[in-house]
Amino acid sequence: MFISILIHTFTLILLHLQIMSNNTEKKRTGMYENVMHEFNKAADKMNLDAGVRKILASTQNEIVVHFPVKMDDGSIEVFTGYRVQHNNALGPYKGGLRYHPTVDIDAARALATWMTWKSAIAGLPYGGGKGGIQLDPSKYSKGELERITRRFTYALGDNIGPDYDIPAPDVNTNAQIMAWISDTYASAKSPANRSVNLHVVTGKPVLSGGLQGRDRATGFGVVVSIQKWAKKNNVDLKGKTFIIQGFGNVGYWATHFLQELGAKLIAVQDHTGSILNTEGIDSEDLLAYTKTNKGGVSGYSKAKAIDNSEFWKTDCYLLVPAALGNQITTENANDIKASLIAEGANGPTDSAAEEILMKKGIAIIPDILCNSGGVIGSYFEWLQNKRAEIWEIDEVLVKLKQKIETAFDAVVASAEKYQTDYRTAAYIVALAKIEQVYKERGVFP
């Protein structure tokens, strides 16, 4: 009897582990599945050339590196880093590096592919790349993060370069990390000429070759897209309530510029929890608080704590997901009460959830249009470095606004021509440009 119970218990444990493994795998492959679903939908709609479709349906290069780093206590840890290069028909690969436990080859594929579309829509001479390191940066000291970053850069070697593949900041990476990459890359070249290789990364500190305004470029672009949508739909943003998921760089700056327009922030969610104040939350005051609270919004005294699931049920006009991918799913899509979703993050809405939102009549400004301000700002920094120039912030924001408005108009025209949603229309804009290049140049040999 005891042996029978033991066998039964062991079988249940194995079944539980298998279910957990399947769920993990599902989560791991979700982002790329979303990318390919949207790609195929747009390709069918526009009747994309069959040969070009085959080329764009796969990545060009996938780099995985394992490298050892000495920790502060003298021990050795081995880290895994990724860089996926999707397509460079329009120009060098371009895209961020993120430091996060969810970084893997599948996520890098999805993000690199999105970068190809995003650059094409924005009219930039770039292809798509993405990557990072699978780690939680909060568990490491600043010295350890510097050694990890420099060793990762060295391991990538010539897989990155100022006119080949140009990384930038992403989740949990910043200007300091870009400065370390820039210095390491230049130091590994002979002679170690930093001015020649300065544009190997973008998003650097201003004194180290960075662009004034690059820090706010993505959030600013999100708000420019919202303004364009509002103008087209005769909506006055003043007094409109909004909620935001993620209060990092993108989330803060989007909130900052929305509040300048008179919109009212009423709820915020980040990795530490969710807060609500229907009377309004001041973004500057919240930012000051997060700097004393390890970057998190939890415990903020001028708003009440709410359950994370309740955040999605908040009655508001605008929702800005500005955190990670696959945050809006079939589990919470029906709860959303917003009239407009502006995607500040990459891939925050999965395909099944989007169908639910569209049936509810909720408008969506897709990520590859809405958050393109970051790569546009990176392009300006890249040009500034190549030309040995220094651009002023006012000039940067004016140019950035013009680029995004032009891209938005192109997507609207595509949506009207093909009688489709903005996401599919945005894909079509990107695919049409790349298709034209392949038809003009041909495929070697």
Side-chain angles (χ1 to χ4, degrees):
M1 183 70 177
F2 175 77
I3 294 175
S4 177
I5 293 172
L6 190 63
I7 292 173
H8 179 68
T9 303
F10 184 69
T11 302
L12 289 175
I13 291 171
L14 286 177
L15 181 61
H16 177 67
L17 289 173
Q18 184 178 0
I19 291 171
M20 288 180 65
S21 176
N22 289 341
N23 287 342
T24 301
E25 186 63 26
K26 185 177 180 180
K27 184 181 290 185
R28 189 175 294 156
T29 57
M31 286 178 66
Y32 193 58
E33 288 174 351
N34 288 338
V35 171
M36 295 312 297
H37 171 81
E38 297 299 339
F39 166 73
N40 288 317
K41 181 180 176 182
D44 289 342
K45 192 81 173 175
M46 67 179 291
N47 194 25
L48 180 66
D49 178 86
V52 175
R53 185 168 181 162
K54 288 180 182 178
I55 294 170
L56 297 179
S58 62
T59 58
Q60 291 181 335
N61 301 302
E62 299 183 352
I63 301 104
V64 181
V65 293
H66 307 284
F67 54 94
V69 179
K70 183 178 285 188
M71 299 292 100
D72 289 343
D73 62 3
S75 64
I76 301 293
E77 281 195 35
V78 176
F79 296 88
T80 300
Y82 303 89
R83 188 67 180 176
V84 172
Q85 297 158 340
H86 173 252
N87 187 273
N88 64 349
L90 297 180
Y93 306 108
K94 186 80 183 77
L97 291 173
R98 58 177 56 182
Y99 289 1
H100 197 272
T102 61
V103 172
D104 61 14
I105 196 69
D106 191 79
R109 284 187 191 116
L111 293 162
T113 305
W114 272 318
M115 283 304 302
T116 299
W117 314 146
K118 192 181 301 185
S119 296
I121 292 166
L124 306 179
Y126 283 147
K130 209 78 171 189
I133 307 174
Q134 193 176 82
L135 60 77
D136 179 353
S138 68
K139 295 181 179 179
Y140 300 92
S141 69
K142 183 178 180 179
E144 288 172 335
L145 286 174
E146 179 177 356
R147 293 194 293 276
I148 291 167
T149 299
R150 290 183 180 275
R151 190 64 181 80
F152 179 42
T153 305
Y154 187 79
L156 287 174
D158 289 334
N159 288 302
I160 61 172
D163 296 299
Y164 177 66
D165 185 353
I166 307 107
D170 202 270
V171 177
N172 290 333
T173 56
N174 53 28
Q176 176 61 80
I177 287 173
M178 294 305 109
W180 289 332
I181 294 174
S182 176
D183 182 69
T184 306
Y185 182 87
S187 298
K189 300 301 173 183
S190 181
N193 191 327
R194 282 166 176 75
S195 62
V196 170
N197 295 297
L198 193 59
H199 52 299
V200 67
V201 291
T202 56
K204 302 179 293 293
V206 172
L207 292 179
S208 293
L211 179 78
Q212 292 186 42
R214 175 60 183 85
D215 59 342
R216 66 207 69 189
T218 307
F220 178 76
V222 168
V223 177
V224 172
S225 294
I226 294 169
Q227 286 179 284
K228 284 287 290 184
W229 181 90
K231 183 177 180 181
K232 185 179 186 303
N233 291 277
N234 298 314
V235 172
D236 184 359
L237 293 171
K238 187 173 182 179
K240 291 292 187 291
T241 57
F242 71 99
I243 65 176
I244 194 154
Q245 188 204 33
F247 201 68
N249 180 272
V250 178
Y252 161 69
W253 281 111
T255 301
H256 171 88
F257 289 114
L258 280 169
Q259 288 190 326
E260 283 192 345
L261 296 174
K264 183 167 70 171
L265 174 66
I266 60 172
V268 181
Q269 181 182 100
D270 72 357
H271 62 288
T272 65
S274 301
I275 58 173
L276 170 73
N277 184 346
T278 56
E279 297 301 313
I281 299 171
D282 181 75
S283 62
E284 306 307 318
D285 190 63
L286 181 59
L287 178 66
Y289 169 76
T290 62
K291 290 180 178 179
T292 67
N293 192 45
K294 298 181 179 179
V297 302
S298 67
Y300 182 60
S301 63
K302 298 177 184 178
K304 69 175 183 178
I306 59 173
D307 188 79
N308 282 338
S309 63
E310 293 299 312
F311 169 83
W312 302 103
K313 301 175 184 178
T314 305
D315 194 356
C316 63
Y317 188 83
L318 168 66
L319 163 62
V320 182
L324 296 171
N326 282 350
Q327 299 299 298
I328 301 175
T329 67
T330 54
E331 293 181 0
N332 57 21
N334 279 308
D335 295 329
I336 293 173
K337 298 181 174 67
S339 297
L340 172 65
I341 296 175
E343 295 183 335
N346 291 310
T349 310
D350 73 25
S351 300
E354 182 161 25
E355 292 181 11
I356 295 172
L357 297 171
M358 291 174 66
K359 287 178 181 177
K360 292 178 67 176
I362 297 175
I364 302 172
I365 306 176
D367 50 0
I368 53 176
L369 169 64
C370 191
N371 68 27
S372 61
V375 70
I376 295 171
S378 283
Y379 172 62
F380 293 159
E381 181 177 328
W382 187 70
L383 281 182
Q384 175 184 262
N385 295 161
K386 286 172 73 73
R387 297 173 178 175
E389 296 177 349
I390 297 176
W391 295 12
E392 298 298 328
I393 189 168
D394 291 343
E395 177 186 9
V396 170
L397 295 182
V398 168
K399 290 177 179 290
L400 183 57
K401 187 171 186 287
Q402 291 172 341
K403 277 280 188 187
I404 292 175
E405 289 181 339
T406 300
F408 193 97
D409 290 340
V411 171
V412 170
S414 175
E416 292 173 352
K417 176 181 178 180
Y418 289 94
Q419 291 297 293
T420 190
D421 59 277
Y422 278 11
R423 191 183 309 279
T424 304
Y427 270 67
I428 290 173
V429 170
L431 295 175
K433 289 182 179 181
I434 300 170
E435 177 185 45
Q436 182 178 345
V437 168
Y438 274 110
K439 286 183 175 181
E440 290 171 351
R441 296 179 186 170
V443 177
F444 178 82

